Amino acid sequence: MSRYFTSVFLILLLFNHGYSQEGDSEQKDSVEYKQKYGLRAGVDLSRLVRSFADENYTGLELVGDYRLTEKLHIAGELGNEEFTQTEDLGGTLLYNYTTSGSYIKLGVDLNTYQNWYGMSNLITIGGRYSFATFSQTLNEYQVFNGNRFFTPDDFLPGAGETPEEFSGLSASWLEFVMGVKAELFANIYLGISARLGYLVTNTESDRFPNLWIPGFNKVTDRSNFGIGYNYSISYFIPLYKKSKKKKDPVPSSPEQ
């Protein structure tokens, strides 16, 4: 699916290239034009779709960025997730647990894309510092039975009727972000980003480890790295404009 969305974005960018180039040829000559500066705010579509499609998941992420300079944007995400998962071994239940909590990510994006005259698309690289607070509820689990003389099964039920909750958990991580935002209509942007996270702190219970962290996703053994993505739709709110001189074309060298 990510390859499909990436292909769509590349097509949109190429379409905008051609459209802008054609429009520029019809414009009157000008020495400068006004660039829009302001706030872009939106929502992550992938979490909304997953909330409807997966009965074990509920999530919402708000996204936003503020343009500081021609290339630099302050950016961030704010979200909440709840996810119930089951781990098994060869079809045998090990544990079923629910993770629920909120997270915030703050950082910067640098636009590396050189727009055509009058365009506002973005191809960005950036980083985030992220922090999450959450709880985990151990709904049920089984323990390995070392003495199977009277109980031939390898595992025995280990939970009572009441699930056990571990609260006050937290984690922080750094994220490297690569993304694309394409302007579909006036001030309306469709975006996609891929994220590589590195877990810095991870406060967990002595009885049950943090196997999944809101905003970070799955925690793997012997590794502090995690991956994520989002597909967003956002609206740009222009607050003010700055003049930018139009670059003159580089004259071609005379033939020798």
Side-chain angles (χ1 to χ4, degrees), residues 74-129:
I74 295 177
E77 295 82 28
L78 177 66
N80 182 275
E81 292 183 300
E82 180 176 299
F83 191 25
T84 299
Q85 300 182 79
T86 298
E87 298 287 342
D88 61 72
L89 180 63
T92 300
L93 172 71
L94 295 180
Y95 37 78
N96 176 277
Y97 67 98
T98 301
T99 306
S100 178
S102 302
Y103 61 90
I104 185 171
K105 305 178 181 183
L106 295 173
V108 296
D109 284 334
L110 181 66
N111 185 19
T112 63
Y113 182 65
Q114 184 63 46
N115 281 290
W116 290 89
Y117 181 77
M119 292 177 62
S120 300
N121 294 317
L122 299 92
I123 298 179
T124 60
I125 58 172
R128 305 282 191 275
Y129 175 78

Side-chain angles (χ1 to χ4, degrees), residues 173-177 194-198 225-228:
W173 64 95
L174 300 174
E175 274 189 358
F176 174 71
V177 185
R195 295 151 183 271
L196 176 64
Y198 180 80
F225 288 96
I227 57 175

Side-chain angles (χ1 to χ4, degrees), residues 225-241:
F225 288 96
I227 57 175
Y229 64 92
N230 73 358
Y231 302 105
S232 65
I233 186 167
S234 56
Y235 182 79
F236 181 72
I237 306 172
L239 299 179
Y240 61 95
K241 295 182 179 181

Side-chain angles (χ1 to χ4, degrees), residues 15 40 50 69 105 108 142 149 153 157 168 174 179 185 200 227:
F15 173 78
R40 188 180 359 253
R50 186 179 178 185
T69 68
K105 305 178 181 183
V108 296
Q142 296 192 112
F149 183 77
D153 295 333
L174 300 174
F185 309 101
V200 177
I227 57 175

Side-chain angles (χ1 to χ4, degrees), residues 151-168:
T151 54
D153 295 333
D154 291 344
F155 292 88
L156 293 175
E161 296 180 357
T162 303
E164 185 175 2
E165 181 179 358
F166 307 98
S167 59

Side-chain angles (χ1 to χ4, degrees), residues 5-228:
F5 278 100
T6 303
S7 301
V8 171
F9 273 106
L10 292 176
I11 293 173
L12 288 173
L13 287 177
L14 291 174
F15 173 78
N16 284 341
H17 272 310
Y19 178 79
S20 177
Q21 188 177 24
E22 181 180 353
D24 289 341
S25 63
E26 298 175 357
Q27 292 179 351
K28 295 181 179 180
D29 292 337
S30 176
V31 295
E32 64 179 18
Y33 73 96
K34 299 286 187 178
Q35 284 190 321
K36 295 182 291 185
Y37 286 72
L39 175 67
R40 188 180 359 253
V43 64
D44 176 22
L45 296 175
S46 64
R47 284 172 169 80
L48 292 179
V49 172
R50 186 179 178 185
S51 297
F52 284 103
D54 187 350
E55 62 180 8
N56 294 318
Y57 176 86
T58 302
L60 174 66
E61 180 178 280
L62 304 178
V63 301
D65 65 84
Y66 181 82
R67 186 179 186 183
L68 284 179
T69 68
E70 182 179 347
K71 298 291 185 181
L72 186 63
H73 299 250
I74 295 177
E77 295 82 28
L78 177 66
N80 182 275
E81 292 183 300
E82 180 176 299
F83 191 25
T84 299
Q85 300 182 79
T86 298
E87 298 287 342
D88 61 72
L89 180 63
T92 300
L93 172 71
L94 295 180
Y95 37 78
N96 176 277
Y97 67 98
T98 301
T99 306
S100 178
S102 302
Y103 61 90
I104 185 171
K105 305 178 181 183
L106 295 173
V108 296
D109 284 334
L110 181 66
N111 185 19
T112 63
Y113 182 65
Q114 184 63 46
N115 281 290
W116 290 89
Y117 181 77
M119 292 177 62
S120 300
N121 294 317
L122 299 92
I123 298 179
T124 60
I125 58 172
R128 305 282 191 275
Y129 175 78
S130 309
F131 181 79
T133 59
F134 56 98
S135 65
Q136 291 197 120
T137 301
L138 185 57
N139 302 314
E140 57 179 318
Y141 67 97
Q142 296 192 112
V143 294
F144 181 77
N145 180 25
N147 182 8
R148 298 190 296 276
F149 183 77
F150 294 104
T151 54
D153 295 333
D154 291 344
F155 292 88
L156 293 175
E161 296 180 357
T162 303
E164 185 175 2
E165 181 179 358
F166 307 98
S167 59
L169 308 176
S170 64
S172 65
W173 64 95
L174 300 174
E175 274 189 358
F176 174 71
V177 185
M178 297 181 64
V180 175
K181 290 186 178 74
E183 188 174 17
L184 299 182
F185 309 101
N187 296 330
I188 297 178
Y189 289 79
L190 191 63
I192 180 175
S193 70
R195 295 151 183 271
L196 176 64
Y198 180 80
L199 200 60
V200 177
T201 63
N202 185 18
T203 304
E204 57 187 3
S205 169
D206 294 334
R207 282 182 41 78
F208 192 65
N210 295 336
L211 302 176
W212 192 86
I213 298 173
F216 182 83
N217 294 328
K218 186 176 181 180
V219 180
T220 56
D221 293 336
R222 297 181 296 274
S223 176
N224 288 340
F225 288 96
I227 57 175

